[in-house]
Amino acid sequence: ISGDGGCKLKISKLSVGSSELNNLSNLNIIMGRNGAGKSRFLRSLERGLYTNGGYYVRYVSPERAGTFKRDGNIITAMSSNPGWLGDTRSVNQASNFKAASAALLREEETLYLRRLQDVPEIRNDPSRTFKSDRLDKINALLTNISMEMGKADIEFKTLSGELVSADNISSGESEAVSLATEILYFFDTIEPSKFNILFLDEPDVHLHPDLQARLGKLIITMLDEFAEHLDSVAVCITTHSAPFVCSVAASSYTSVGTKNFGID
């Protein structure tokens, strides 16, 4: 797999066994027909680099089940075993994926507020808040509902202000919220001393073409926000989506490659 764009990175190639991603860019789009082994390729790289101390790696599986609602059992599993999340997601179909994303959103709030205190240009700008910088980015993906700060937790509301339970929002909305949370969490947990990689396996699944394009724009926005780390950040995505590819293709961050049958 090779691309031809993007910014100068500290690492130009990811290699695990026979799986290689060459000419690495900040945003790497991997396309290919069904059965070409795109998901297997990403998981091979993720599993091989996950235990390498020089990398910070996160992987998002292609079939993301569950409801975007915090679950005490999931929170306990995540807190008691640091490797639980990576292990349970290294499959095509990850159960309780969205419940884990909901738990990460609560962590995301804490991480952002901590960064708010540590970075002077953010701390001294009254317009920079968790709502404006994070929740509004998620809400930009949605059309019929919004996420709001409730008294005890994040809440979903209709445009008229009525509360909606997490298990009553549409599958596409739930998918978009979960994916956006995973993307935001990755960027807010970047480790400057390591090479940071987000593997997104078919994020377009279950999303309307308009949502697919908006998700692509969200990734570009986050790369812009974390420009100071661009030499050590790579997002690697498998997709079949023309709207998604079109939404990011013009960016200097982007490279597009093809996964062919029998080639790792």
Side-chain angles (χ1 to χ4, degrees):
I1 306 292
S2 63
D4 58 3
C7 304
K8 181 69 172 178
L9 302 183
K10 291 179 179 178
I11 293 174
S12 62
K13 178 174 73 173
L14 301 179
S15 180
V16 174
S18 60
S19 299
E20 290 190 356
L21 181 59
N22 299 302
N23 300 329
L24 199 64
S25 301
N26 294 116
L27 181 53
N28 306 272
I29 308 299
I30 303 163
M31 305 188 74
R33 295 169 58 190
N34 291 333
K38 301 184 299 300
S39 294
R40 188 169 61 251
F41 173 71
L42 277 198
R43 287 199 301 272
S44 173
L45 291 174
E46 185 269 338
R47 289 287 88 183
L49 298 173
Y50 185 73
T51 56
N52 186 319
Y55 293 85
Y56 169 53
V57 178
R58 296 192 68 82
Y59 172 78
V60 173
S61 45
E63 289 290 341
R64 300 166 285 270
T67 301
F68 193 87
K69 181 167 59 177
R70 291 197 302 150
D71 181 309
N73 293 325
I74 300 299
I75 294 171
T76 299
M78 290 170 61
S79 60
S80 61
N81 179 5
W84 181 86
L85 197 60
D87 292 339
T88 58
R89 288 183 171 182
S90 58
V91 294
N92 270 2
Q93 299 185 27
S95 61
N96 294 315
F97 184 99
K98 293 172 185 173
S101 296
L104 290 180
L105 184 60
R106 174 53 65 88
E107 288 188 34
E108 165 68 20
E109 182 179 0
T110 302
L111 287 165
Y112 178 82
L113 293 175
R114 187 177 301 154
R115 182 166 173 249
L116 191 67
Q117 295 301 313
D118 293 342
V119 181
E121 56 266 32
I122 301 178
R123 183 176 67 242
N124 298 326
D125 183 348
S127 68
R128 302 290 295 273
T129 65
F130 177 70
K131 181 183 183 303
S132 65
D133 278 2
R134 294 298 176 259
L135 283 190
D136 285 354
K137 283 183 170 61
I138 299 176
N139 284 330
L141 303 176
L142 307 173
T143 53
N144 296 316
I145 61 169
S146 64
M147 296 183 73
E148 307 293 340
M149 302 284 291
K151 291 183 178 179
D153 207 346
I154 299 295
E155 299 174 341
F156 293 102
K157 291 186 176 181
T158 65
L159 299 183
S160 60
E162 296 179 15
L163 283 174
V164 183
S165 65
D167 51 5
N168 281 331
I169 67 175
S170 75
S171 60
E173 290 168 333
S174 178
E175 193 83 6
V177 167
S178 181
L179 284 167
T181 297
E182 297 288 336
I183 292 165
L184 297 177
Y185 185 86
F186 166 75
F187 278 96
D188 275 323
T189 52
I190 282 173
E191 299 185 35
S193 63
K194 298 183 179 183
F195 195 82
N196 303 266
I197 311 171
L198 175 62
F199 292 109
L200 283 175
D201 203 346
E202 298 191 6
D204 50 285
V205 173
H206 306 305
L207 295 183
H208 183 276
D210 177 60
L211 262 180
Q212 296 169 13
R214 293 188 193 192
L215 192 70
K217 294 299 185 185
L218 171 63
I219 296 171
I220 297 297
T221 297
M222 295 307 293
L223 287 168
D224 286 340
E225 181 176 332
F226 286 82
E228 72 272 22
H229 299 303
L230 287 184
D231 63 346
S232 59
V233 173
V235 181
C236 303
I237 300 173
T238 63
T239 185
H240 297 285
S241 168
F244 182 89
V245 174
C246 289
S247 73
V248 301
S251 171
S252 61
Y253 298 134
T254 305
S255 288
V256 179
T258 303
K259 175 68 175 68
N260 295 314
F261 288 93
I263 298 175
D264 290 334

